[in-house]
Amino acid sequence: MFYSRSKIVSRIEKEVTMPKYQDIADTVVHLIDIGHYREGSKLPTHRALAEEYATTPVTIAKAYSLLADQGHIESFVGRGSFVKKRSSLRQAIQPQLLEDEWNFSILQPCLAYHLETLNNQISQCFSNTVSPSLFGYTEHTGSLLHKNAGMRWLQHFGLHVRSAEHVLLTNGAQHALSLLIELYSQPGDVIAVEALTYPGILSIINALGRKAVGVTQDEQGMCPEHLQEVCKQSHPSLVIIVPSHQNPTTVTLSIERREAIASVIQKYQTWLIEDDIYAFLNSEKIPPITNLIPEKSFYISSLSKAISPGMRCGYLKAPQSQIEHLSTLIRTMIWLVSPITFEIATQMINSEKAFELSNQQKSIAEQRQAIAQTILEKDTFSAQVSSFHIWLALPDNINTDQFVATAKERGMLISNGRYFCHDESYSQYVRLSLMSIPTHQHFEKGLIRLKQLLDQNRT
Ligand SMILES: Cc1ncc(COP(=O)(O)O)c(C=O)c1O
């Protein structure tokens, strides 16, 4: 058994500072987290739960009403209360609530190592009088200076960009993905994705009422033959690929695979979105697929993984013919990205600091991968030497949902493989981010603890 119910109930009994209904609501959330109450399942009646917690049905009604307000459950007159379906993005990437938890679920740079540099950059950037243009609306969706820096960033990773006018500024890669999905597909359309992919892509597809179709992957990434089949049968409006250090499988597509995928896109005249946010982790520059089909492909990068997700700086290179379309949508949705953060990004790119920081993060990832190799059995996970994460196979006798819930109870937040499957089917894998824990020592301790949990659950 993975959790102690009596422990949870006694926690309620001891808690005196919170109103009882609020405490019961917290406990129900915890029970949903650990899979005791599953998504879509019916919750106990007010009377049954009141008996269990030695309280009144009115208190339970208040707890359920709070849970409904918080979006955890839905109540229907005459039918009862049900656990709501949760956002897969929120499930896979969990917020850290307690200081001593190990958060293996967030794929972000190890910020502790470059906070000082970031602070210095910001002070330097604004030490002189700041140009009034940074505080006002601009006519375009971003300044040419900021787009020029974006062009430099993209070119550094091997992308062919002829003019800064072909670069659009977005609030991170997620914003670029949602703009493209919104503009280049209609509700009900099929979008081809890697069968295992970043839940943020799946969330947008679901939220906008599109349908994700998974393309088979092997140890070298997306299979072009299956992509061809999907294009032939399902006519996807878009194909979305993460070609470097793929999230979650960690695979980087070879040049041959890139060429084969480009041919399929060309043949079926669909659009490609190449989300290359992890390109800075590649050991050598590999030409993006977009270089082969520049008129049919959108290339996305951002500073989120290499420098800071909080800056929300994304760069989108689009075919010339599509720039006006996209700029109009950006202007309609948000007017423009914040010139202030893009000014910081621009100065960091122009001074080369951005590249220094991204190299530093790559070497931290290498150190973390080396630590992981010493603790976990190598043949149980896939990763490259500089990936930010690993894709870990659980032994067959372990149930992933229960394992993730137990790990959470013991202070380790990990991502359930289910949320990376295009259809959210069961997965025998978990994704571990190696980078969001600040120090190597704490990281190592957490990983040892996780290994112990794995060993305890082995037959
Ligand atoms: C493949 C991929 N694309 C996009 C994002 C989101 O990036 P951003 O923070 O720039 O929106 C992530 C974050 O995990 C990701 O893994």
Side-chain angles (χ1 to χ4, degrees):
M1 197 58 196
F2 282 84
Y3 78 98
S4 151
R5 185 64 194 273
S6 57
K7 211 172 83 194
I8 293 158
V9 174
S10 73
R11 217 185 68 197
I12 291 182
E13 284 161 356
K14 278 188 212 135
E15 191 63 71
V16 285
T17 52
M18 237 186 238
K20 189 150 186 164
Y21 76 90
Q22 208 172 329
D23 212 348
I24 292 173
D26 282 357
T27 304
V28 172
V29 173
H30 179 70
L31 291 171
I32 295 171
D33 281 348
I34 64 173
H36 178 71
Y37 296 135
R38 300 195 156 273
E39 282 179 9
S41 71
K42 189 171 178 189
L43 288 163
T45 60
H46 294 178
R47 187 177 298 280
L49 212 62
E51 253 173 49
E52 196 171 338
Y53 292 137
T55 187
T56 63
V58 174
T59 304
I60 300 299
K62 273 173 95 175
Y64 277 8
S65 160
L66 178 64
L67 288 164
D69 288 348
Q70 292 170 343
H72 296 294
I73 69 168
E74 290 176 293
S75 300
F76 303 95
V77 179
R79 282 210 294 133
S81 299
F82 295 81
V83 179
K84 252 173 106 167
K85 185 162 167 27
R86 291 175 153 191
S87 140
S88 51
L89 192 55
R90 194 172 152 78
Q91 290 288 86
I93 300 145
Q94 302 172 51
Q96 184 161 342
L97 300 175
L98 304 171
E99 207 184 321
D100 57 352
E101 276 176 338
W102 286 273
N103 199 333
F104 290 105
S105 81
I106 299 184
L107 270 189
Q108 67 175 10
C110 202
L111 293 168
Y113 284 80
H114 65 211
L115 269 186
E116 205 181 312
T117 315
L118 278 179
N119 275 322
N120 289 340
Q121 283 293 309
I122 292 169
S123 319
Q124 268 175 34
C125 197
F126 298 118
S127 58
N128 297 321
T129 310
V130 177
S131 155
S133 67
L134 293 184
F135 293 111
Y137 285 123
T138 60
E139 194 187 330
H140 301 288
T141 54
S143 91
L144 199 55
L145 277 178
H146 295 171
K147 290 182 180 183
N148 253 310
M151 178 166 80
R152 262 189 90 179
W153 176 259
L154 297 171
Q155 286 172 335
H156 188 82
F157 302 110
L159 184 74
H160 295 160
V161 198
R162 278 187 292 111
S163 155
E165 304 279 4
H166 300 168
V167 177
L168 293 157
L169 310 179
T170 62
N171 289 323
Q174 189 72 12
H175 180 211
L177 285 163
S178 51
L179 283 170
L180 293 170
I181 295 172
E182 169 92 49
L183 201 54
Y184 294 94
S185 65
Q186 301 291 321
D189 279 7
V190 163
I191 297 184
V193 295
E194 289 142 323
L196 291 165
T197 190
Y198 160 56
I201 292 174
L202 299 174
S203 292
I204 305 169
I205 293 177
N206 292 334
L208 295 181
R210 278 53 163 176
K211 188 173 179 302
V213 169
V215 181
T216 313
Q217 291 152 289
D218 61 18
E219 62 289 346
Q220 292 179 57
M222 182 184 267
C223 298
E225 300 76 22
H226 191 223
L227 176 63
Q228 164 133 342
E229 222 174 288
V230 168
C231 287
K232 206 164 158 183
Q233 282 175 10
S234 310
H235 313 289
S237 315
L238 287 161
V239 177
I240 308 180
I241 295 182
V242 180
S244 307
H245 294 257
Q246 202 255 359
N247 184 1
T249 61
T250 72
V251 170
T252 291
L253 290 175
S254 64
I255 293 180
E256 293 72 32
R257 278 281 160 111
R258 291 172 189 232
E259 286 170 352
I261 288 168
S263 308
V264 177
I265 303 284
Q266 190 71 30
K267 180 168 174 194
Y268 289 90
Q269 283 297 297
T270 181
W271 294 107
L272 174 70
I273 299 179
E274 187 173 20
D275 175 357
D276 212 3
I277 194 166
Y278 300 106
F280 71 100
L281 295 173
N282 285 334
S283 45
E284 54 196 48
K285 271 183 209 164
I286 309 182
I289 306 171
T290 304
N291 286 357
L292 301 164
I293 42 169
E295 288 311 315
K296 291 308 294 173
S297 181
F298 300 92
Y299 185 89
I300 298 174
S301 182
S302 94
L303 302 189
S304 294
K305 307 299 171 180
I307 297 170
S308 151
M311 287 174 69
R312 307 307 301 135
C313 290
Y315 299 109
L316 163 62
K317 190 251 168 188
Q320 188 170 6
S321 58
Q322 304 305 312
I323 295 291
E324 195 44 46
H325 247 51
L326 277 159
S327 303
T328 304
L329 186 61
I330 294 174
R331 202 177 297 119
T332 308
M333 298 284 205
I334 60 164
W335 192 276
L336 77 161
V337 292
S338 163
I340 296 174
T341 45
F342 273 90
E343 178 64 22
I344 302 168
T346 297
Q347 295 201 17
M348 286 173 75
I349 292 168
N350 289 346
S351 67
E352 304 271 323
K353 234 342 160 248
F355 303 110
E356 246 174 64
L357 290 183
S358 59
N359 280 334
Q360 192 188 359
Q361 289 301 326
K362 187 174 164 204
S363 74
I364 296 167
E366 283 164 6
Q367 291 164 40
R368 297 274 165 110
Q369 286 289 349
I371 295 172
Q373 292 248 5
T374 63
I375 297 170
L376 302 170
E377 285 151 38
K378 178 65 193 103
D379 58 353
T380 59
F381 66 90
S382 41
Q384 298 185 59
V385 287
S386 57
S387 301
F388 265 26
H389 64 284
I390 63 177
W391 183 235
L392 177 71
L394 298 181
D396 287 344
N397 68 304
I398 293 183
N399 173 293
T400 310
D401 296 343
Q402 286 188 332
F403 184 76
V404 171
T406 309
K408 187 170 179 181
E409 271 205 315
R410 305 209 180 153
M412 294 162 283
L413 306 177
I414 58 180
S415 305
N416 190 328
R418 175 194 291 285
Y419 299 108
F420 299 82
C421 298
H422 71 282
D423 54 2
E424 285 198 11
S425 51
Y426 177 79
S427 162
Q428 197 60 30
Y429 286 80
V430 291
R431 190 198 69 182
L432 301 184
S433 160
L434 310 188
M435 299 295 280
S436 52
I437 298 169
T439 65
H440 288 328
Q441 289 89 331
H442 194 55
F443 165 73
E444 188 166 357
K445 215 168 141 190
L447 212 54
I448 290 171
R449 214 177 150 115
L450 196 73
K451 175 70 164 59
Q452 283 164 350
L453 185 62
L454 268 172
D455 291 343
Q456 280 163 20
N457 285 284
R458 251 180 246 275
T459 43

